[in-house]
Amino acid sequence: MAKLVILTPGLPVTGREHELNVDRTTIGRVEDNMFQIAEPSISSHHCEVLLRGNDVVIKDLNSTNGTFINGEQITESALKPGQTLRLGNVELKLDAPGAAPAPAQPKRQAEATMVVPRGVSMSELEGGGRPPGFDTSKEFSKKRNRSGVYFWVAVSVGVIIIAVLLYMAWVAINSGNGK
């Protein structure tokens, strides 16, 4: 059975592995992923691993820091045994017993990758901080909650009606006693 093994030294999860025994496995930082890797450079839902016959396909889920196979950024690509999968700052390899390893790739010099741990991509930063149609010319004001005002008006009217009825009853009783 094929499995992913975490290679990155210095992480508390180094050497941890996950068997790929279902057709679809999600990988990410949060607990609802099938393979959770709690590391800040990994997106909450970073990528998914799809088993398609004998192929293991990696599909990026619009992660912040990207998904790479042997140093090349991918959106969807097959991962061969022995190849390196990088998610953020975490490197993994695919182990598949009985499969021929992928041909060795020449080592590339480490790329200067900026890691943004809070989930903001560079394209979002370059596009500006306001969504289209956001009008900054209007002043902001606190929205008033009128239901409290309506409640107190209704209570006041009710108290006045009760007071008037009590006064009328008192007048009727006292006028009847005066005869």
Side-chain angles (χ1 to χ4, degrees):
M1 181 64 51
K3 61 184 173 182
L4 288 172
V5 180
I6 298 177
L7 301 175
T8 305
L11 292 179
V13 293
T14 300
R16 190 170 134 215
E17 51 189 51
H18 181 80
E19 282 200 27
L20 303 173
N21 52 11
V22 293
D23 290 340
R24 180 179 174 271
T25 301
T26 57
I27 301 175
R29 188 179 67 244
V30 294
E31 293 176 5
D32 66 351
N33 289 286
M34 295 177 76
F35 187 19
Q36 179 191 12
I37 305 173
E39 207 280 325
S41 67
I42 293 183
S43 294
S44 55
H45 297 96
H46 199 100
C47 68
E48 62 184 1
V49 181
L50 306 166
L51 297 180
R52 294 183 180 157
N54 291 332
D55 290 335
V56 176
V57 177
I58 308 296
K59 182 178 179 185
D60 184 74
L61 298 175
N62 296 320
S63 61
T64 301
N65 295 315
T67 301
F68 298 81
I69 294 179
N70 284 349
E72 298 293 324
Q73 188 166 10
I74 58 109
T75 53
E76 184 173 327
S77 184
L79 178 66
K80 303 291 182 204
Q83 286 186 320
T84 302
L85 171 65
R86 182 167 53 90
L87 312 174
N89 289 333
V90 178
E91 287 191 345
L92 304 98
K93 76 171 181 173
L94 176 64
D95 276 347
Q105 298 270 336
K107 285 277 185 183
R108 293 173 44 166
Q109 196 171 26
E111 297 176 16
T113 303
M114 181 177 159
V115 175
V116 182
R118 291 211 163 66
V120 178
S121 69
M122 290 302 291
S123 62
E124 290 172 326
L125 291 174
E126 291 167 355
R130 305 267 191 239
F134 189 83
D135 187 5
T136 58
S137 64
K138 296 178 185 174
E139 287 194 34
F140 293 101
S141 62
K142 182 177 178 182
K143 188 174 181 180
R144 297 189 66 183
N145 184 356
R146 293 190 178 359
S147 62
V149 173
Y150 295 141
F151 171 78
W152 287 111
V153 167
V155 167
S156 299
V157 169
V159 167
I160 291 171
I161 290 173
I162 290 172
V164 168
L165 290 174
L166 287 174
Y167 176 75
M168 289 174 56
W170 181 74
V171 169
I173 291 173
N174 286 336
S175 66
N177 289 338
K179 289 187 179 178

